């Protein structure tokens, strides 16, 4: 694994400044690891993320997958907060229990204008995927 352009600590600091509504102590989002071409992020369990039936809601899982892709991209290209999601496709594979989730993103392609990533979401302590996503991000011109 190549070293990341930005460390996990640097990304958390910048993200909390740029997106305080999502990256704050109350959100619980944390970056576990970054490397050039990937990242692993964690979202602790929170009661308000449950939907009827006792499962974590789909929008919560989708948000975590998107954050993992964004963090992996920024770790790979540097601070470019204007990079945006152009597509996110997710398959929900298994009912996640009421516990923390971890998402790991691996870049499949990192080009000048587009990045494509593969994201697996797991319940903490479980090897089975609860969701699998693919995502494409648009990189602003003049980067990389």
């Amino acid at each position: 694994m190549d070293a990341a352009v930005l460390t996990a600590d640097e990304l958390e600091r910048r993200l909390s400044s740029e997106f305080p509504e999502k990256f704050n102590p109350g959100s619980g989002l944390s970056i576990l690891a970054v490397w050039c071409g990937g990242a692993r992020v964690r979202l602790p369990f929170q009661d308000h993320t449950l939907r009827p039936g006792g499962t974590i809601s789909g929008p919560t899982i989708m948000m975590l997958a998107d954050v993992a892709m964004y963090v992996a991209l920024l770790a790979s290209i540097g601070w470019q907060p204007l990079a945006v999601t152009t597509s996110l496709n997710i398959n929900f594979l298994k009912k996640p229990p009421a516990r923390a989730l971890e998402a790991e993103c691996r870049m499949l392609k990192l080009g000048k204008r587009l990045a494509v990533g593969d994201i697996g979401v797991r319940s903490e302590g479980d090897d089975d995927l609860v969701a699998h996503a693919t995502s494409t991000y648009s990189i602003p011109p003049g980067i990389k």
Side-chain angles (χ1 to χ4, degrees):
M1 276 187 262
D2 291 335
V5 175
L6 294 171
T7 68
D9 288 343
E10 179 68 7
L11 280 164
E12 282 190 348
R13 185 182 66 73
R14 289 183 180 210
L15 288 166
S16 66
S17 175
E18 190 75 25
F19 303 103
E21 69 284 356
K22 271 297 168 202
F23 280 89
N24 62 63
S27 78
L29 277 168
S30 61
I31 300 171
L32 300 175
V34 294
W35 58 93
C36 188
R40 199 168 63 252
V41 297
R42 181 180 188 274
L43 181 67
F45 171 72
Q46 297 169 323
D47 284 331
H48 72 272
T49 64
L50 287 179
R51 55 160 287 161
T55 188
I56 297 174
S57 72
T60 299
I61 298 168
M62 291 173 77
M63 178 273 300
L64 183 61
D66 191 44
V67 167
M69 175 67 180
Y70 191 58
V71 168
L73 179 62
L74 295 178
S76 301
I77 67 171
W79 186 246
Q80 295 301 325
L82 296 180
V84 294
T85 309
T86 59
S87 74
L88 176 69
N89 178 43
I90 191 162
N91 294 294
F92 300 102
L93 305 172
K94 177 178 159 179
K95 178 181 172 180
R99 64 177 181 239
L101 295 174
E102 291 184 6
E104 183 170 320
C105 177
R106 293 178 305 113
M107 288 291 172
L108 300 175
K109 177 173 177 49
L110 183 54
K112 290 182 181 182
R113 297 294 308 270
L114 292 176
V116 179
D118 178 75
I119 305 106
V121 181
R122 291 175 170 79
S123 293
E124 190 172 60
D126 191 351
D127 289 336
D128 294 336
L129 292 176
V130 298
H132 173 261
T134 55
S135 179
T136 303
Y137 259 71
S138 176
I139 301 168
I143 309 306
K144 203 160 167 349

